[in-house]
Amino acid sequence: MKISLNWINDFIDLSGIPVDEIVHKLTMSGLEVEDVIDERKIYKDFVVGFVKEKKKHPNADKLSVCTVWDGKHELQVICGAPNVEVNQKIVFASIGTIIAQGQFKLSKAKIRGVESFGMICSEAELELSDNHEGIMVLNDELKPGEKITSALGLNDVILEVAITPNRPDALSHIGVARDLAAIFNIPLTVPAIKIEETAGKISDIASVEIIDVENCPRYSAMVVQEVEIKDSPEWLSSRLKKIGLRPINNVVDVTNYIMYETGQPLHAFDLVNLEGNKIIVRSTDEESKFVTLDSKERVLPKNSLLICDAVRPVAIAGIMGGENSEVTSTTKDILIESAYFYHSSIRRTSKSLGLTTESSYRFERGTDPSNTLYAAQKAAQLIAELSSGKIAEGFIDVYPNPIKQNEIKLRYSRITKLLGYEIPQEKISEILFSLGCEIKHSGQNEVLLLIPTFRPDIEREVDLIEEIARIYGYDSIPTIETISVPLDIKHDESYFVDNIKNIASGLGFYEMINNPLQSESVASITGNKIKILNPQSQDMAYLRTSLIPGALQTIARNISVGEKDLYLFEVGNVFNKHVTDEIESFDDFSENQNLLFIITGRAAKKSWLTEETQSDFYILKGIIHSFLIKISLDNVLIDSYYNDGKSLFDYYFVKSYNKRVVGTGGKVNKNVLKFFDINQDVFCFEFNLDELKQIPIDEKRYKELLKYPKVFRDFAFIFDREAKHNEVIEFIKREGSKLLKSVRLFDLFESETIGTNKKSMAFALEYYDVNRTLTEEEVDKEFTKLITAVTKSFNAKLRG
Amino acid sequence: MLEDKINRIYSEFEKDIDGVNDLKKLEEIRIKYLSRSGLVNGLFSELKSVPKENIPFVGKQLNSLRQNVTDRFNSIKSEIESQKTSTDKDFDLTLPGSEIRLGSKHVLTQTLDQIKSIFKGLGFSVFEGPELESDYNNFEALNFPADHPARDMQDTFFINPKFLLRTHTSPVQIRVMQAYQPPVRAIMPGRVYRNEAVSSRSYCMFHQVEGLFVDTDVTFAELKGTLVAFAHQFYGEELKYRFRPSFFPFTEPSAEMDITCFLCKGKGCKLCKQSGWLEILGCGMVDPNVFQHVGYDSEKYTGYAFGMGIERIGLLKYGIDDIRIYFENDLRFLKQF
C-alpha cells in the first residue's frame, strides 16, 4: 500500500526525522517498506519554463524548435508534442537532469540537424501519469525558473509498504501514523469532526434496517443533500494520484480519501435511486444475478450479504456498489454508507465472485467496528465542503449488539519466558498505550488490558508480547551464543535417500528434478493419475504416476539442444489413486518415493584408447546390479524377465522381494518414445524406494581373507541358441561341488562355423577351499564331471 | 691378513662400479665380484687359513661384505634399468587420459545437503512427510482458519476441498509433534507447491527446509542465536544480519531474517532491490494454537520454528537468474555443479 508522508504529517509531527530513519524503523517494526519514492530527489532538477518562441523544425514536420526561458537562460529546445504553444508555462528539464528515476541522464542532442538543449516534459516523462499525449501545460501564474518541487507541490515522500494480513489497521494513513507514533514515542492527533447540519432531519429522509445482524453488526449512514458533482480540488486529486488512485468526482474521491485515511470503506448511494429511501441489509437465500457499477453482471452465490433498498439489491455488501444506485453527474442527494461487515461473509462472496476490491480487501481482514460513524461524518463534512451540499441533521447508526473490547491479561514473566530477556515495565506500558491499548488494571506481576477494536489480530497474551517486541525492536533481543541440545535419540529420515543419491552420482549419473505436475496425456502413460482441482494450466493438471514420463520429457529437451548422451537419475514422489471416487482419506491413494535410472545415447565416446559403445539393456542391467551391490541388496532380489512388449517397455526385467515388486525397467517402448519425439533408444529402471527401504539388510560381518590359493578353470560349449545364460549358470552352480565358488560368463558369440541356431558360451570357474590348498587332481576331477553334466543336460558340445 | 683383503676388495668394487651406467659393464662387475668364482666367494675359501678363534669375527665381516656388494650392485642395476625404460623420448605423455563418466547431485540437493549437515551438527533430527496432504495438516492445525486472508499468502493446488498439495513443509511439524513429546528438535526438508503463474521468479513447486525446536525454555533469543550461527556457517562469517517483524499464522511473534546483500555488500543494487538486504528465511515462536492442535501444553512448552526456500538460496548464491532452469534438467546446467 502507498503511504504519503505529507498525509501522515496531518496526524503526527515527523519533522526533523530523516526519511531513511522512518523507512528503517517502519521496516524494523513489521511494516516493511519495499520502495521509497522521494519526490524532492526525483524532481530536484526540473524547473518551470516559459515558451518564448516556436518555429517549425526545418527537417521534420512533426517537430517544433522552441526557445525556452528557464529563469536564467534562453535555450533552444526541440519538442515533438502537438500541444506546445508560445507563452505556455511548461516543465523544463535542462541538460544533466536525471529522467525517469535514474533511468537516463539528459544530454545535448542533435535532432534532424538541429541542436536541442533540454526537454519539455509530459506527465509520463515525470511519471505523474501514463499521459503521453502531449506536454504538461502549467498554471500561467507560475514563475519561470522555480523548481517544480515547490511550484507543483512535488515534495512528498511516498512509501510502498507491505502490510501483512494480520494488520488491517495499518491499511490506512492513520493506522501507519499510529505505529510511527509508537515507534518514535510522539503524540498522534486524529482531527475532530466539525459538522454543520443545514438540511432536514435524517430520520425523515432515510432509514436503515439490518436483517442479517450476524454478518452486518453495524451500519452507520449520513445524508448530504443538494450536492454539486464536479471534479475534486487540486489538493485532493493530487493526494489520491500520489497513492496511485485515479480521481473521479468530488463524492467518489472523498469516499476513497476517507478510506485511505481511516481504513473504513465507504459507499455513496444516489438517494433518488433508493426505493423507499430505505436500506435493508440481508443475505441471499439462493443464487442470484446482480449488475455492479462496472456494468458487469455477477452471479451471487447463496448466502451473499446484500445492501438492498425497499425492493431490490443496490450493492454487494463490502465489495462493490450496483449500477442502479451509483453516484452520477446528475446526483443531488447522497447517502453515505459506513458499515462493519463480518470478515468471513465478505471473503466468501469475494472469493466466489473472483472479485477483490480495496473495500473487500479491508473488510475480509477486519475493519474497526467502532469507527464507522466517525468515518461517515468525516466524509459528510468533506463532501459538503467540496460540493456545497447540505448535511442532514443527525445520523443513522444501527448497532444492535455493540462489540466489546477484548480484555487480555499480560504476565511480565511470560514476556521473559518467550523472548529470553526482560523489557522494563514502563516501556511496556508506554508501547501498549501508544498502540491504543487501555490499562484496566495494573498489578505487580501482570497487567489487564483493553484492546482497541481496530486490532482484531490481538486476541491473546502472546499477541501482545509480539506487539511489545516489534516496537521495542527485535534488534534489542539478545542473540545468545551458547545453546543446550537435548540428548534424545536423533532421527534421520533422509539418510537412506541421501546415500542413494551419493551412490547414483558416483555411478556417473546426473540428478534431475522434474516437475511432478503434468499434462493429461503425459500423466496417462502409466498408472492411475490424480487430477488437480484448480490447475494453473492444462500442462500441469495432473500428478505424475511414475518418474519415467517426466524423465522422457527431459531427455527430449536435452536431445533438442544437442545433448544426446544422457545418464540421469531422479528421486521423487509419484502419486496413484486407488479409488474411482473422490479421495476421502490417505488410504485412497498412494504416494511413493521412487528412484529412476535412465540412460540413452553413447555409454562411451570413441577415443584414441577405446571404441565407442552405445547404451543398451545390458549396460542398464550392469548399472542396476552395481547399484544394488552398493546398497548391499545384490543377493536378495529375484529377477524375472519379460519379452512381451507389454507396458512401457519392449522388453524388461522386474526385481522383487518376497513376491513384492521393488523395481521394473528395460528398453522403453518405441511408441512411447515416439510420443515424446525421441528417436534414439532409451533404457531405464524405476525402483519403489518405499519397498526397497523395507528389505532387511544383514548386518555386515567381517569375513576372514582367503589364505589358500584359488584354482581357475575355463570351458566353452556350443549350445542351442535358445539356451538361457541364467539357466546354465544356475545348473553349473548346482552341479558343481562345494569347492566351486564362482562361475562367470566371459565370452559369447554366434557364427556360421559353429552352426546355425547355435551359440557359444564360455565360462570362467573358480575353485577353492577356505581351510586348505586344493590339489590340481581333485579340481580336474570335479571339472570333468561338470563338463559331462552340462553336455548332457543342455545338448551342448564342449569346444576344443 | 684376510681382513685387509676384505677392505681392499670392497674399495676396488666401489671404484669399479662408480659411474657405471650400462648393463653390459655391470654384468662384467657381477662376474668379477659376485659370480661363483668371483672375488667375494674367493675370500670365503680363504677362511680355512684363519685361526679358529677368529673365524666367527672374520666370517661376520665376510658376510657383511657380500651383503654390501650385493645391495650396492642391485641398487645401481635398478637405477640403470629405470633409466633405460624412460629413454624412449617419443613416448607421448601429453596424450589425454581415458575419460571416466561423471555424475553429480542436483545443485538443489547439494545446497540442501549443506544445510542439513549444519543443522545435524546443531543436534537436529531430520523428518520427512508426504506432499499430498490434508487441508487439516497444511492449514487448520497451523492456525490458518478457513475463510482467513492468511490463506491468500499461499496459493494452493487442491485435489478436492479436503486434500491438497502442501504449500509448505510445516505439516511435517504437525506430524512430528503428534508422534513425539517434547523435546522435539528437528528439521524438515521437502518439496512444496504453490499455485502461482510460472515465471523467472516463481515456479509451481520449490523446496523448503523448516526447523522446529520445542522444549520447556525455548526463547526468541535462542532462535536468533541458532539462526545467526547457521547463517554465519552457511553464508560466511563476515555477514551482517537483521530480524524484522513479520507475520505467519503458525508463529507469534514472527520474524524474517535478512542478511547483507552478497553482491553490493549492503550498498544497494538490483539483486537486493536497492535495500542492501536479502531476505533469507522466516521464523518465529510457535503459536500456542498450534500446540493446542497437537496436544502440547502451551504454558509449559515454548518453541521456535523457521523455514527457508532452497531455490532462492541458489538464486542468491550462484547468480541463477531464472528459477525454471532448476527443473529443465538441461545437462549443460546439471554439469556445472
Side-chain angles (χ1 to χ4, degrees):
Chain A
M1 187 184 135
K2 286 197 167 76
I3 292 290
S4 146
L5 284 188
N6 280 354
W7 195 341
I8 289 279
N9 266 307
D10 290 358
F11 316 109
I12 51 171
D13 183 6
L14 288 173
S15 55
I17 305 175
V19 171
D20 284 352
E21 197 182 341
I22 293 171
V23 167
H24 174 72
K25 288 269 175 71
L26 261 187
T27 299
M28 294 305 283
S29 72
L31 301 184
E32 190 189 353
V33 178
E34 293 184 319
D35 197 11
V36 181
I37 299 162
D38 191 338
E39 294 180 343
R40 298 163 313 178
K41 276 188 197 160
I42 297 171
Y43 299 118
K44 71 176 170 36
D45 293 333
F46 295 87
V47 295
V48 176
F50 176 66
V51 183
K52 275 190 99 169
E53 274 175 30
K54 177 189 164 190
K55 284 183 287 191
K56 253 194 69 177
H57 191 290
N59 307 320
D61 283 349
K62 288 185 177 167
L63 298 179
S64 317
V65 181
C66 303
T67 306
V68 173
W69 168 247
D70 73 351
K72 286 181 193 143
H73 316 279
E74 283 187 5
L75 296 156
Q76 175 172 290
V77 179
I78 311 288
C79 182
N83 65 333
V84 66
E85 294 303 339
V86 174
N87 291 336
Q88 275 174 342
K89 297 279 168 63
I90 47 87
V91 176
F92 179 67
S94 59
I95 284 158
T97 301
I98 309 286
I99 310 281
Q101 294 205 44
Q103 297 284 313
F104 69 95
K105 194 174 180 177
L106 197 63
S107 54
K108 193 172 88 174
K110 205 167 197 178
I111 302 166
R112 298 262 183 127
V114 181
E115 285 190 316
S116 182
F117 298 88
M119 183 166 88
I120 303 175
C121 305
S122 68
E123 288 196 10
E125 278 146 0
L126 293 170
E127 299 197 326
L128 292 173
S129 76
D130 297 334
N131 188 355
H132 255 296
E133 289 296 297
I135 54 155
M136 202 174 159
V137 180
L138 303 179
N139 188 327
D140 210 29
E141 274 135 46
L142 295 175
K143 216 177 117 218
E146 191 183 350
K147 294 199 166 198
I148 65 165
T149 50
S150 60
L152 304 182
L154 291 169
N155 56 7
D156 203 351
V157 178
I158 307 298
L159 308 181
E160 183 66 54
V161 185
I163 310 286
T164 50
N166 59 327
R167 292 294 308 278
D169 66 295
L171 291 167
S172 69
H173 280 76
I174 290 180
V176 173
R178 188 181 295 110
D179 263 28
L180 283 168
I183 292 164
F184 292 108
N185 198 18
I186 49 178
L188 172 80
T189 321
V190 178
I193 289 164
K194 292 165 269 166
I195 283 193
E196 267 181 61
E197 295 160 336
T198 51
K201 273 193 184 168
I202 193 167
S203 52
D204 298 336
I205 304 169
S207 67
V208 170
E209 181 189 350
I210 304 173
I211 292 173
D212 187 349
V213 177
E214 196 189 322
N215 290 318
C216 176
R218 186 176 189 182
Y219 196 108
S220 310
M222 296 287 287
V223 167
V224 186
Q225 293 183 311
E226 295 172 44
V227 299
E228 186 194 333
I229 304 292
K230 56 184 178 186
D231 285 348
S232 294
E234 176 60 27
W235 71 265
L236 176 56
S237 45
S238 145
R239 273 201 172 173
L240 293 179
K241 276 196 252 176
K242 280 179 188 179
I243 60 162
L245 293 188
R246 194 166 51 88
I248 295 167
N249 60 45
N250 50 358
V251 171
V252 174
D253 291 352
V254 167
T255 56
N256 278 329
Y257 181 76
I258 299 299
M259 174 170 73
Y260 280 94
E261 176 157 307
T262 65
Q264 172 65 47
L266 303 174
H267 184 66
F269 293 100
D270 188 336
L271 205 50
V272 159
N273 293 323
L274 292 184
E275 293 278 344
N277 291 333
K278 196 171 164 73
I279 291 284
I280 299 170
V281 189
R282 61 170 175 85
S283 287
T284 53
D285 41 25
E286 56 189 13
E287 202 179 87
S288 57
K289 284 179 180 165
F290 182 70
V291 180
T292 44
L293 50 77
D294 53 3
S295 306
K296 284 189 182 141
E297 189 179 74
R298 314 264 177 187
V299 178
L300 293 165
K302 198 178 148 185
N303 291 327
S304 297
L305 192 65
L306 287 183
I307 310 299
C308 307
D309 61 15
V311 296
R312 54 176 188 165
V314 289
I316 308 171
I319 300 175
M320 195 179 268
E323 196 175 42
N324 57 14
S325 57
E326 69 170 321
V327 171
T328 65
S329 56
T330 57
T331 298
K332 287 289 167 224
D333 300 343
I334 59 164
L335 179 135
I336 302 162
E337 164 196 287
S338 179
Y340 174 69
F341 300 121
Y342 186 57
H343 58 86
S344 281
S345 165
I346 303 301
R347 180 174 164 83
R348 270 197 310 270
T349 309
S350 156
K351 277 260 142 185
S352 143
L353 292 174
L355 176 63
T356 300
T357 59
E358 287 296 331
S359 169
S360 71
Y361 190 80
R362 283 167 176 75
F363 280 121
E364 68 176 34
R365 279 162 175 70
T367 56
D368 180 6
S370 308
N371 203 35
T372 55
L373 190 58
Y374 173 85
Q377 290 178 324
K378 187 92 202 266
Q381 175 193 329
L382 201 49
I383 288 172
E385 264 172 43
L386 303 182
S387 70
S388 30
K390 292 174 180 163
I391 300 175
E393 190 190 326
F395 53 82
I396 292 171
D397 189 17
V398 185
Y399 195 14
N401 309 306
I403 291 162
K404 283 205 195 104
Q405 277 177 273
N406 261 335
E407 275 182 26
I408 301 174
K409 186 172 77 180
L410 174 66
R411 295 164 293 172
Y412 296 122
S413 62
R414 196 67 193 171
I415 302 177
T416 314
K417 184 173 165 81
L418 204 61
L419 300 182
Y421 81 133
E422 262 182 72
I423 301 178
Q425 288 189 15
E426 320 83 71
K427 197 69 209 169
I428 293 170
S429 310
E430 187 184 293
I431 290 169
L432 292 175
F433 179 75
S434 58
L435 291 174
C437 296
E438 285 169 54
I439 293 166
K440 198 173 174 192
H441 174 76
S442 184
Q444 204 188 342
N445 302 317
E446 60 190 44
V447 58
L448 186 64
L449 293 149
L450 278 177
I451 309 304
T453 49
F454 55 75
R455 291 301 303 268
D457 59 313
I458 304 180
E459 297 173 307
R460 304 156 302 168
E461 184 180 47
V462 67
D463 302 321
L464 282 170
I465 296 175
E466 179 178 63
E467 290 303 301
I468 296 159
R470 75 176 180 91
I471 299 295
Y472 195 61
Y474 282 9
D475 277 350
S476 47
I477 299 175
T479 303
I480 59 164
E481 291 182 357
T482 308
I483 56 166
S484 67
V485 174
L487 295 174
D488 55 343
I489 300 290
K490 301 296 173 204
H491 302 260
D492 187 353
E493 292 189 345
S494 67
Y495 178 77
F496 184 76
V497 167
D498 288 351
N499 186 37
I500 276 178
K501 288 185 177 182
N502 286 334
I503 292 166
S505 52
L507 288 171
F509 282 73
Y510 287 96
E511 185 187 5
M512 49 182 173
I513 299 180
N514 287 305
N515 185 357
L517 300 175
Q518 300 176 334
S519 69
E520 181 169 13
S521 56
V522 172
S524 302
I525 287 174
T526 178
N528 194 3
K529 62 192 182 296
I530 297 172
K531 191 178 191 322
I532 307 291
L533 190 65
N534 55 337
Q536 186 65 238
S537 72
Q538 288 314 307
D539 283 351
M540 298 193 270
Y542 290 86
L543 281 165
R544 66 181 170 199
T545 60
S546 151
L547 296 177
I548 297 170
L552 290 173
Q553 287 180 307
T554 282
I555 283 182
R557 259 196 316 273
N558 272 292
I559 290 174
S560 74
V561 296
E563 294 291 346
K564 295 179 175 172
D565 308 319
L566 301 161
Y567 277 65
L568 301 169
F569 80 99
E570 178 169 22
V571 176
N573 293 11
V574 300
F575 307 82
N576 279 284
K577 205 169 160 177
H578 298 326
V579 290
T580 42
D581 300 334
E582 201 60 71
I583 287 170
E584 292 285 343
S585 78
F586 283 99
D587 297 331
D588 293 347
F589 65 93
S590 61
E591 176 174 347
N592 288 113
Q593 192 171 40
N594 280 12
L595 162 68
L596 177 74
F597 288 99
I598 193 159
I599 65 176
T600 187
R602 290 171 293 185
K605 289 177 201 164
K606 180 170 173 14
S607 82
W608 67 280
L609 278 171
T610 50
E611 287 307 309
E612 172 178 307
T613 42
Q614 286 294 328
S615 300
D616 63 20
F617 181 78
Y618 299 107
I619 288 179
L620 175 73
K621 244 185 113 176
I623 287 162
I624 300 307
H625 184 64
S626 307
F627 167 71
L628 290 172
I629 290 173
K630 294 302 288 181
I631 59 168
S632 311
L633 287 177
D634 49 319
N635 283 324
V636 299
L637 300 181
I638 305 299
D639 289 354
S640 34
Y641 298 89
Y642 302 88
N643 213 339
D644 52 14
K646 280 183 193 160
S647 82
L648 279 173
F649 306 103
D650 286 338
Y651 45 83
Y652 59 103
F653 66 120
V654 170
K655 290 205 174 268
S656 50
Y657 182 79
N658 279 349
K659 294 189 176 151
R660 292 179 73 90
V661 172
V662 298
T664 306
K667 179 171 182 286
V668 180
N669 186 292
K670 274 263 170 350
N671 292 326
V672 173
L673 293 180
K674 214 167 157 188
F675 176 85
F676 290 99
D677 273 334
I678 298 170
N679 45 22
Q680 62 187 52
D681 289 345
V682 177
F683 305 86
C684 68
F685 196 92
E686 186 173 29
F687 283 106
N688 178 333
L689 292 184
D690 296 319
E691 292 286 349
L692 205 62
K693 244 184 247 185
Q694 282 172 25
I695 300 172
I697 297 172
D698 291 339
E699 258 189 60
K700 297 232 168 178
R701 296 283 300 169
Y702 160 70
K703 280 194 218 102
E704 212 183 331
L705 306 180
L706 185 64
K707 287 183 191 143
Y708 304 98
K710 292 178 174 180
V711 179
F712 302 99
R713 291 289 182 274
D714 290 352
F715 53 35
F717 291 93
I718 296 165
F719 292 92
D720 292 337
R721 194 164 178 270
E722 69 263 22
K724 289 282 177 282
H725 159 260
N726 68 334
E727 285 166 15
V728 178
I729 287 270
E730 291 309 319
F731 178 83
I732 293 172
K733 279 185 187 164
R734 208 166 49 238
E735 292 294 310
S737 73
K738 270 191 279 178
L739 303 176
L740 175 62
K741 296 297 196 301
S742 127
V743 195
R744 186 175 67 85
L745 175 77
F746 72 90
D747 192 27
L748 168 77
F749 71 93
E750 293 173 33
S751 81
E752 277 176 21
T753 54
I754 60 170
T756 47
N757 285 324
K758 295 280 176 189
K759 66 179 171 189
S760 163
M761 287 199 273
F763 297 92
L765 291 77
E766 239 178 69
Y767 290 90
Y768 62 85
D769 189 313
V770 292
N771 295 318
R772 63 187 177 93
T773 304
L774 297 182
T775 65
E776 295 283 330
E777 291 74 24
E778 63 183 321
V779 171
D780 280 340
K781 209 174 131 198
E782 297 287 347
F783 187 60
T784 315
K785 246 165 78 185
L786 201 55
I787 291 173
T788 317
V790 172
T791 313
K792 235 169 103 182
S793 298
F794 288 91
N795 185 29
K797 211 179 113 202
L798 185 69
R799 294 185 64 220
Chain B
M1 284 287 283
L2 193 48
E3 285 167 82
D4 294 339
K5 268 192 176 170
I6 290 171
N7 287 334
R8 209 175 59 235
I9 286 178
Y10 190 72
S11 355
E12 200 183 324
F13 167 76
E14 279 283 356
K15 223 161 80 189
D16 281 353
I17 204 160
D18 190 41
V20 170
N21 65 0
D22 72 88
L23 289 173
K24 209 176 141 199
K25 261 200 190 130
L26 200 69
E27 181 60 13
E28 284 167 19
I29 291 168
R30 192 192 66 80
I31 291 165
K32 181 174 171 192
Y33 293 94
L34 290 168
S35 64
R36 211 168 278 182
S37 54
L39 288 173
V40 176
N41 269 347
L43 286 178
F44 275 94
S45 60
E46 287 180 39
L47 205 56
K48 293 177 287 196
S49 61
V50 174
K52 251 192 182 128
E53 65 273 22
N54 283 350
I55 285 181
F57 174 71
V58 178
K60 213 171 162 189
Q61 279 195 319
L62 268 176
N63 274 327
S64 128
L65 171 72
R66 183 153 65 182
Q67 191 63 43
N68 288 340
V69 169
T70 311
D71 286 353
R72 180 91 173 106
F73 173 85
N74 283 339
S75 98
I76 298 287
K77 190 178 174 198
S78 62
E79 212 172 278
I80 293 169
E81 277 170 348
S82 72
Q83 275 170 13
K84 167 133 179 113
T85 49
S86 58
T87 45
D88 178 1
K89 295 250 166 50
D90 298 332
F91 190 70
D92 187 358
L93 296 171
T94 69
L95 284 171
S98 61
E99 262 179 60
I100 304 287
R101 206 183 60 236
L102 298 177
S104 73
K105 290 188 278 187
H106 197 280
V107 60
L108 293 173
T109 304
Q110 292 181 32
T111 309
L112 185 60
D113 283 352
Q114 260 180 297
I115 296 169
K116 279 199 293 205
S117 106
I118 293 171
F119 282 107
K120 280 199 227 171
L122 294 171
F124 285 79
S125 286
V126 183
F127 286 102
E128 291 178 342
E131 293 168 19
L132 207 167
E133 259 292 4
S134 66
D135 185 83
Y136 178 82
N137 284 341
N138 193 76
F139 285 130
E140 288 286 327
L142 287 159
N143 196 30
F144 286 79
D147 289 332
H148 195 277
R151 290 199 171 198
D152 293 347
M153 294 166 84
Q154 304 187 351
D155 289 324
T156 310
F157 287 115
F158 286 95
I159 303 302
N160 61 41
K162 275 160 80 180
F163 284 90
L164 45 76
L165 294 177
R166 67 177 177 193
T167 56
H168 44 193
T169 44
S170 315
V172 189
Q173 293 186 21
I174 300 299
R175 288 170 175 271
V176 171
M177 286 192 278
Q178 280 168 343
Y180 299 91
Q181 283 302 306
V184 165
R185 191 175 172 85
I187 56 166
M188 290 139 289
R191 181 170 301 170
V192 304
Y193 298 80
R194 296 282 168 91
N195 194 346
E196 287 168 4
V198 172
S199 74
S200 64
R201 304 303 291 178
S202 81
Y203 198 69
C204 51
M205 64 147 181
F206 59 96
H207 298 78
Q208 275 189 339
V209 186
E210 288 200 17
L212 175 73
F213 180 35
V214 182
D215 205 344
T216 45
D217 292 295
V218 182
T219 65
F220 200 110
E222 176 164 351
L223 167 64
K224 274 181 80 174
T226 307
L227 291 178
V228 168
F230 161 75
H232 279 150
Q233 209 164 326
F234 188 76
Y235 290 103
E237 276 177 79
E238 299 296 307
L239 67 90
K240 284 192 208 125
Y241 60 87
R242 67 181 192 184
F243 286 82
R244 195 162 42 71
S246 188
F247 169 69
F248 307 107
F250 39 93
T251 51
E252 187 84 7
S254 304
E256 278 175 315
M257 183 182 183
D258 296 341
I259 59 170
T260 39
C261 176
F262 328 113
L263 264 192
C264 64
K265 311 277 177 231
K267 286 192 204 93
C269 67
K270 209 178 147 197
L271 179 68
C272 60
K273 291 188 201 147
Q274 307 306 326
S275 72
W277 295 99
L278 294 172
E279 180 196 320
I280 56 161
L281 56 84
C283 59
M285 303 303 291
V286 179
D287 195 286
N289 288 355
V290 175
F291 282 154
Q292 205 184 331
H293 276 287
V294 297
Y296 283 7
D297 178 354
S298 63
E299 273 298 301
K300 184 173 169 192
Y301 297 113
T302 53
Y304 64 67
F306 58 84
M308 64 190 100
I310 311 299
E311 279 76 0
R312 186 171 157 74
I313 291 169
L315 300 183
L316 299 175
K317 242 187 150 167
Y318 303 109
I320 294 169
D321 56 4
D322 189 331
I323 192 170
R324 289 170 291 199
I325 199 156
Y326 285 125
F327 310 111
E328 280 166 7
N329 303 303
D330 190 315
L331 192 66
R332 297 167 299 176
F333 173 78
L334 299 179
K335 276 183 168 172
Q336 291 182 30
F337 298 95

